[in-house]
Short mmCIF file of all heavy atoms in Angstrom, two decimals:
data_model
loop_
_atom_site.label_atom_id
_atom_site.label_comp_id
_atom_site.label_asym_id
_atom_site.label_seq_id
_atom_site.Cartn_x
_atom_site.Cartn_y
_atom_site.Cartn_z
N LEU A 26 7.39 6.87 7.58
CA LEU A 26 7.88 8.06 6.88
C LEU A 26 7.18 8.24 5.54
O LEU A 26 6.66 9.31 5.24
CB LEU A 26 9.41 7.97 6.67
CG LEU A 26 10.02 9.10 5.83
CD1 LEU A 26 9.89 10.43 6.54
CD2 LEU A 26 11.47 8.79 5.49
N VAL A 27 7.14 7.19 4.74
CA VAL A 27 6.48 7.26 3.43
C VAL A 27 5.01 7.59 3.60
O VAL A 27 4.46 8.48 2.93
CB VAL A 27 6.69 5.95 2.63
CG1 VAL A 27 5.84 5.97 1.35
CG2 VAL A 27 8.16 5.77 2.31
N ALA A 28 4.34 6.93 4.52
CA ALA A 28 2.91 7.15 4.75
C ALA A 28 2.66 8.58 5.25
O ALA A 28 1.67 9.19 4.84
CB ALA A 28 2.36 6.15 5.75
N SER A 29 3.55 9.12 6.06
CA SER A 29 3.34 10.49 6.58
C SER A 29 3.45 11.52 5.45
O SER A 29 2.77 12.53 5.50
CB SER A 29 4.32 10.80 7.70
OG SER A 29 5.64 10.96 7.22
N VAL A 30 4.29 11.25 4.50
CA VAL A 30 4.46 12.17 3.35
C VAL A 30 3.21 12.09 2.45
O VAL A 30 2.77 13.10 1.93
CB VAL A 30 5.72 11.84 2.56
CG1 VAL A 30 5.77 12.61 1.26
CG2 VAL A 30 6.98 12.12 3.40
N LEU A 31 2.65 10.92 2.32
CA LEU A 31 1.53 10.70 1.40
C LEU A 31 0.15 10.73 2.03
O LEU A 31 -0.86 10.89 1.35
CB LEU A 31 1.70 9.33 0.71
CG LEU A 31 2.99 9.12 -0.09
CD1 LEU A 31 3.06 7.67 -0.51
CD2 LEU A 31 2.99 10.06 -1.28
N ASP A 32 0.09 10.58 3.32
CA ASP A 32 -1.15 10.27 4.04
C ASP A 32 -2.31 11.23 3.82
O ASP A 32 -3.45 10.81 3.68
CB ASP A 32 -0.87 10.15 5.54
CG ASP A 32 -1.91 9.28 6.22
OD1 ASP A 32 -2.51 8.42 5.52
OD2 ASP A 32 -2.12 9.43 7.42
N ASP A 33 -2.08 12.52 3.75
CA ASP A 33 -3.18 13.46 3.58
C ASP A 33 -3.89 13.35 2.25
O ASP A 33 -5.08 13.59 2.16
CB ASP A 33 -2.66 14.91 3.76
CG ASP A 33 -2.26 15.20 5.19
OD1 ASP A 33 -2.70 14.47 6.11
OD2 ASP A 33 -1.50 16.16 5.41
N ASN A 34 -3.17 12.99 1.23
CA ASN A 34 -3.75 12.95 -0.09
C ASN A 34 -4.05 11.55 -0.63
O ASN A 34 -4.70 11.41 -1.65
CB ASN A 34 -2.82 13.65 -1.10
CG ASN A 34 -2.58 15.11 -0.71
OD1 ASN A 34 -3.54 15.83 -0.50
ND2 ASN A 34 -1.34 15.51 -0.62
N TYR A 35 -3.54 10.54 0.05
CA TYR A 35 -3.67 9.17 -0.43
C TYR A 35 -4.07 8.25 0.71
O TYR A 35 -3.78 8.50 1.88
CB TYR A 35 -2.34 8.68 -1.00
CG TYR A 35 -1.82 9.58 -2.09
CD1 TYR A 35 -0.88 10.57 -1.83
CD2 TYR A 35 -2.28 9.47 -3.40
CE1 TYR A 35 -0.41 11.40 -2.83
CE2 TYR A 35 -1.82 10.29 -4.41
CZ TYR A 35 -0.87 11.26 -4.12
OH TYR A 35 -0.43 12.09 -5.10
N GLU A 36 -4.68 7.15 0.37
CA GLU A 36 -4.97 6.10 1.32
C GLU A 36 -3.83 5.10 1.31
O GLU A 36 -3.62 4.39 0.31
CB GLU A 36 -6.28 5.42 0.96
CG GLU A 36 -6.68 4.32 1.93
CD GLU A 36 -7.97 3.62 1.51
OE1 GLU A 36 -8.75 4.21 0.73
OE2 GLU A 36 -8.14 2.47 1.93
N CYS A 37 -3.05 5.04 2.38
CA CYS A 37 -1.87 4.19 2.44
C CYS A 37 -2.11 2.98 3.35
O CYS A 37 -2.76 3.10 4.38
CB CYS A 37 -0.67 4.95 2.98
SG CYS A 37 -0.16 6.32 1.94
N TYR A 38 -1.63 1.83 2.92
CA TYR A 38 -1.59 0.67 3.77
C TYR A 38 -0.32 -0.07 3.45
O TYR A 38 0.33 0.18 2.46
CB TYR A 38 -2.84 -0.19 3.60
CG TYR A 38 -3.17 -0.68 2.23
CD1 TYR A 38 -3.07 -2.04 1.92
CD2 TYR A 38 -3.58 0.16 1.21
CE1 TYR A 38 -3.39 -2.52 0.67
CE2 TYR A 38 -3.91 -0.29 -0.03
CZ TYR A 38 -3.78 -1.64 -0.31
OH TYR A 38 -4.09 -2.11 -1.56
N ALA A 39 0.08 -1.02 4.35
CA ALA A 39 1.42 -1.56 4.25
C ALA A 39 1.47 -3.06 4.52
O ALA A 39 0.58 -3.62 5.18
CB ALA A 39 2.34 -0.84 5.22
N ALA A 40 2.51 -3.68 3.96
CA ALA A 40 2.84 -5.07 4.23
C ALA A 40 4.35 -5.13 4.48
O ALA A 40 5.13 -4.38 3.90
CB ALA A 40 2.46 -5.95 3.07
N ALA A 41 4.78 -6.08 5.34
CA ALA A 41 6.18 -6.18 5.72
C ALA A 41 6.98 -7.14 4.86
O ALA A 41 8.20 -7.24 5.01
CB ALA A 41 6.29 -6.58 7.19
N ASN A 42 6.33 -7.86 3.95
CA ASN A 42 7.07 -8.77 3.08
C ASN A 42 6.25 -9.01 1.82
O ASN A 42 5.06 -8.65 1.74
CB ASN A 42 7.39 -10.09 3.80
CG ASN A 42 6.15 -10.86 4.20
OD1 ASN A 42 5.41 -11.32 3.36
ND2 ASN A 42 5.91 -10.96 5.52
N GLY A 43 6.87 -9.59 0.84
CA GLY A 43 6.23 -9.83 -0.44
C GLY A 43 5.01 -10.74 -0.40
O GLY A 43 4.05 -10.55 -1.14
N MET A 44 5.06 -11.74 0.46
CA MET A 44 3.95 -12.69 0.53
C MET A 44 2.68 -11.98 1.03
O MET A 44 1.63 -12.13 0.43
CB MET A 44 4.26 -13.85 1.48
CG MET A 44 3.23 -14.92 1.49
SD MET A 44 3.04 -15.80 -0.10
CE MET A 44 4.55 -16.73 -0.13
N ASP A 45 2.82 -11.15 2.10
CA ASP A 45 1.68 -10.41 2.56
C ASP A 45 1.28 -9.36 1.53
O ASP A 45 0.11 -9.03 1.37
CB ASP A 45 1.99 -9.73 3.90
CG ASP A 45 2.13 -10.69 5.04
OD1 ASP A 45 1.63 -11.87 4.91
OD2 ASP A 45 2.71 -10.35 6.07
N GLY A 46 2.27 -8.83 0.82
CA GLY A 46 2.00 -7.86 -0.23
C GLY A 46 1.14 -8.41 -1.36
O GLY A 46 0.23 -7.74 -1.86
N ILE A 47 1.38 -9.66 -1.72
CA ILE A 47 0.59 -10.33 -2.77
C ILE A 47 -0.87 -10.41 -2.30
O ILE A 47 -1.80 -10.06 -3.01
CB ILE A 47 1.14 -11.75 -3.08
CG1 ILE A 47 2.46 -11.69 -3.79
CG2 ILE A 47 0.09 -12.57 -3.87
CD1 ILE A 47 2.40 -11.25 -5.23
N LYS A 48 -1.05 -10.85 -1.06
CA LYS A 48 -2.42 -10.99 -0.51
C LYS A 48 -3.14 -9.64 -0.50
O LYS A 48 -4.29 -9.54 -0.93
CB LYS A 48 -2.36 -11.59 0.90
CG LYS A 48 -1.87 -13.00 0.94
CD LYS A 48 -1.69 -13.46 2.38
CE LYS A 48 -0.97 -14.81 2.42
NZ LYS A 48 -0.61 -15.18 3.77
N LEU A 49 -2.44 -8.62 0.01
CA LEU A 49 -3.07 -7.28 0.07
C LEU A 49 -3.32 -6.70 -1.31
O LEU A 49 -4.29 -5.98 -1.53
CB LEU A 49 -2.23 -6.34 0.89
CG LEU A 49 -2.23 -6.58 2.41
CD1 LEU A 49 -1.29 -5.62 3.11
CD2 LEU A 49 -3.62 -6.42 2.95
N SER A 50 -2.42 -7.00 -2.27
CA SER A 50 -2.59 -6.49 -3.63
C SER A 50 -3.82 -7.07 -4.30
O SER A 50 -4.57 -6.35 -4.97
CB SER A 50 -1.36 -6.84 -4.49
OG SER A 50 -0.23 -6.22 -4.02
N LEU A 51 -4.04 -8.34 -4.07
CA LEU A 51 -5.19 -9.01 -4.70
C LEU A 51 -6.50 -8.61 -4.01
O LEU A 51 -7.53 -8.53 -4.66
CB LEU A 51 -4.98 -10.51 -4.69
CG LEU A 51 -3.79 -11.02 -5.50
CD1 LEU A 51 -3.62 -12.50 -5.35
CD2 LEU A 51 -3.95 -10.65 -6.97
N LEU A 52 -6.45 -8.37 -2.71
CA LEU A 52 -7.66 -7.99 -1.98
C LEU A 52 -7.93 -6.50 -2.01
O LEU A 52 -9.10 -6.09 -2.11
CB LEU A 52 -7.56 -8.44 -0.50
CG LEU A 52 -7.50 -9.94 -0.25
CD1 LEU A 52 -7.22 -10.20 1.23
CD2 LEU A 52 -8.79 -10.59 -0.67
N GLY A 53 -6.89 -5.68 -1.89
CA GLY A 53 -7.07 -4.26 -1.73
C GLY A 53 -7.04 -3.44 -3.00
O GLY A 53 -7.35 -2.25 -2.98
N GLU A 54 -6.66 -4.03 -4.10
CA GLU A 54 -6.58 -3.36 -5.39
C GLU A 54 -5.94 -1.97 -5.30
O GLU A 54 -6.59 -0.96 -5.54
CB GLU A 54 -7.98 -3.27 -6.00
CG GLU A 54 -8.61 -4.59 -6.27
CD GLU A 54 -10.00 -4.49 -6.89
OE1 GLU A 54 -10.46 -3.37 -7.15
OE2 GLU A 54 -10.59 -5.54 -7.13
N PRO A 55 -4.64 -1.94 -5.00
CA PRO A 55 -3.96 -0.64 -4.93
C PRO A 55 -3.84 0.00 -6.30
O PRO A 55 -3.76 -0.69 -7.32
CB PRO A 55 -2.59 -1.01 -4.36
CG PRO A 55 -2.36 -2.42 -4.78
CD PRO A 55 -3.73 -3.06 -4.75
N ASP A 56 -3.78 1.32 -6.32
CA ASP A 56 -3.52 2.06 -7.56
C ASP A 56 -2.04 2.18 -7.83
O ASP A 56 -1.61 2.31 -8.96
CB ASP A 56 -4.14 3.46 -7.43
CG ASP A 56 -5.63 3.46 -7.28
OD1 ASP A 56 -6.30 2.89 -8.16
OD2 ASP A 56 -6.11 3.97 -6.26
N LEU A 57 -1.25 2.11 -6.75
CA LEU A 57 0.21 2.23 -6.84
C LEU A 57 0.82 1.36 -5.75
O LEU A 57 0.31 1.27 -4.65
CB LEU A 57 0.62 3.68 -6.65
CG LEU A 57 2.12 3.98 -6.61
CD1 LEU A 57 2.74 3.80 -8.00
CD2 LEU A 57 2.37 5.40 -6.09
N ILE A 58 1.99 0.73 -6.07
CA ILE A 58 2.71 -0.06 -5.06
C ILE A 58 4.11 0.51 -4.98
O ILE A 58 4.79 0.61 -6.02
CB ILE A 58 2.74 -1.54 -5.45
CG1 ILE A 58 1.33 -2.12 -5.55
CG2 ILE A 58 3.59 -2.32 -4.44
CD1 ILE A 58 1.24 -3.51 -6.10
N VAL A 59 4.55 0.82 -3.79
CA VAL A 59 5.91 1.22 -3.50
C VAL A 59 6.58 0.03 -2.86
O VAL A 59 6.14 -0.40 -1.76
CB VAL A 59 5.98 2.47 -2.58
CG1 VAL A 59 7.42 2.81 -2.26
CG2 VAL A 59 5.25 3.63 -3.19
N CYS A 60 7.60 -0.55 -3.50
CA CYS A 60 8.11 -1.84 -3.05
C CYS A 60 9.62 -1.81 -2.77
O CYS A 60 10.40 -1.40 -3.62
CB CYS A 60 7.81 -2.87 -4.13
SG CYS A 60 8.32 -4.53 -3.73
#
């Protein structure tokens, strides 16, 4: 749902828990995190 609202204007990717989120944050350098 969140990605469908944002998808056209933003590059969205997701993690299902905080541990995976840490890894993706450090590798993917997001501009914004919705947590």
Side-chain angles (χ1 to χ4, degrees):
L26 175 65
V27 172
S29 71
V30 171
L31 300 172
D32 205 24
D33 290 340
N34 300 309
Y35 305 96
E36 180 183 337
C37 297
Y38 58 111
N42 62 66
M44 187 64 72
D45 290 341
I47 290 286
K48 293 173 190 172
L49 288 177
S50 296
L51 297 175
L52 294 174
E54 299 181 1
D56 297 302
L57 175 71
I58 300 172
V59 177
C60 182

